[in-house]
């Protein structure tokens, strides 16, 4: 009887042991992709001491590359330097194009995208956007000598046979022109740094770009006149692009922009370029 009871107890113990879950195995090492996306840039940027900044370098007054020495200037280039300093880091500017800027931020090739980036819904599907830095919108810039030719500068005044509208490819300027221009000729010019010279030299008549850019270009090129920059055709906002999913970093950039807009920092940088 005693032997039977002992055997029964052993059977129960074996059953419990068999049913018990196995001890968790040690976690495997994270993949390179998992490591790259782990944590927030708010922590990793100060730790590395580098803020990677994607910018095109071809859109003054916001970003301008000096090919002679590789330095970047402009409103947003200066803001990026301030942002890096606030994170105990140095900026590392990463060259990109308008067609690839948001893709580069989304893939984490860089930590932030700056340089007159307009908020659009297609872009917002790829990246987060910070608090806007300024309002803007598309407006025409023409040769001052031809200003009267375009009357009030409406789309009807511009969209006529014989008029050449020049645009840089891959951005919101091309999208706007292709959506609104039906009769005038649309001419693509790949280099935004030389596109306004095409108008000055008579190889194009009009460019419709952000009012901020037309104000800057008319400042450095007296031959050019911005038409109704205070009343652009469209409404848009400029902001900085950050990687989706990193809420902590985006909130920090939001706060950085908010303070810069209210303590006079952003206005000071704009005044250096546009007034």
């Amino acid at each position: 009887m005693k032997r039977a009871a002992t055997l029964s107890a052993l059977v129960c113990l074996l059953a419990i042991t068999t049913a018990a879950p196995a001890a968790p195995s040690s976690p495997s090492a994270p993949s390179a992709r998992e490591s790259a996306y782990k944590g927030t840039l708010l922590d990793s940027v100060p730790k590395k001491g580098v803020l990677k900044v994607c910018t095109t370098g071809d859109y003054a007054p916001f970003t301008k590359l000096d090919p002679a020495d590789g330095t970047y200037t402009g409103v947003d280039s200066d803001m990026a330097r301030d942002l890096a300093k606030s994170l105990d880091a140095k900026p590392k500017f990463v060259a990109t194009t308008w067609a690839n800027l948001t893709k580069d931020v989304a893939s984490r090739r860089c930590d932030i995208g700056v340089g007159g980036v307009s908020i659009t819904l297609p872009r917002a599907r790829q990246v987060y956007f910070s608090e806007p830095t300024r309002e803007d919108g598309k407006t025409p810039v023409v040769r001052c000598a031809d200003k009267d030719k375009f009357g009030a500068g409406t789309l009807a005044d511009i969209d006529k046979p014989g008029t050449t509208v020049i645009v840089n490819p891959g951005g919101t300027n091309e999208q706007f022109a292709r959506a609104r221009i039906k009769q005038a000729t649309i001419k693509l010019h790949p280099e935004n740094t030389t596109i306004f010279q095409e108008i000055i030299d008579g190889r194009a008549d009009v460019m419709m770009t952000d009012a901020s850019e037309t104000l800057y270009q008319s400042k450095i090129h007296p031959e050019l006149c911005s038409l109704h920059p205070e009343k652009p055709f469209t409404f848009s906002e400029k902001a900085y692009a950050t990687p989706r999913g990193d809420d902590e970093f985006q909130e920090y950039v939001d706060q950085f922009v908010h303070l810069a807009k209210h303590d006079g920092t952003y206005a000071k940088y704009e005044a250096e370029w546009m007034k």
Side-chain angles (χ1 to χ4, degrees), residues 77-190:
S77 298
D78 289 338
M79 286 282 284
R81 289 186 179 90
D82 287 353
L83 175 62
K85 184 178 180 180
S86 77
L87 292 165
D88 301 318
K90 293 183 178 179
K92 179 182 179 182
F93 290 97
V94 180
T96 188
T97 64
W98 286 109
N100 292 324
L101 189 146
T102 50
K103 296 176 186 176
D104 286 340
V105 175
S107 67
R108 308 266 179 144
R109 180 170 177 253
C110 46
D111 305 322
I112 191 168
V114 311
V117 184
S118 297
I119 300 173
T120 67
L121 293 179
R123 286 173 176 169
R125 293 177 63 182
Q126 300 182 63
V127 296
Y128 283 166
F129 278 108
S130 70
E131 177 178 317
T133 55
R134 76 183 317 273
E135 291 184 8
D136 222 323
K138 303 303 178 190
T139 202
V141 61
V142 302
R143 287 182 297 277
C144 294
D146 293 341
K147 187 176 178 180
D148 292 341
K149 172 182 174 181
F150 295 100
T154 66
L155 281 171
D157 293 324
I158 294 167
D159 190 16
K160 295 179 178 179
T163 298
T164 298
V165 175
I166 194 165
V167 297
N168 53 316
T172 56
N173 289 340
E174 182 182 9
Q175 294 168 13
F176 177 82
R178 295 203 181 280
R180 305 294 183 90
I181 297 301
K182 305 301 178 184
Q183 300 183 71
T185 300
I186 295 177
K187 178 182 178 180
L188 290 177
H189 187 77

Side-chain angles (χ1 to χ4, degrees), residues 8-71:
S8 177
L10 287 171
V11 170
C12 290
L13 180 60
L14 288 170
I16 293 171
T17 303
T18 303
S25 58
S26 58
S28 58
S31 66
R33 179 180 176 84
E34 289 171 335
S35 297
Y37 285 78
K38 186 177 180 180
T40 171
L41 290 168
L42 190 57
D43 295 330
S44 62
V45 168
K47 184 176 180 180
K48 294 176 181 177
V50 175
L51 177 72
K52 294 182 292 183
V53 182
C54 268
T55 194
T56 62
D58 65 353
Y59 188 20
F62 301 106
T63 175
K64 183 180 180 182
L65 172 64
D66 184 340
D69 59 13
T71 58

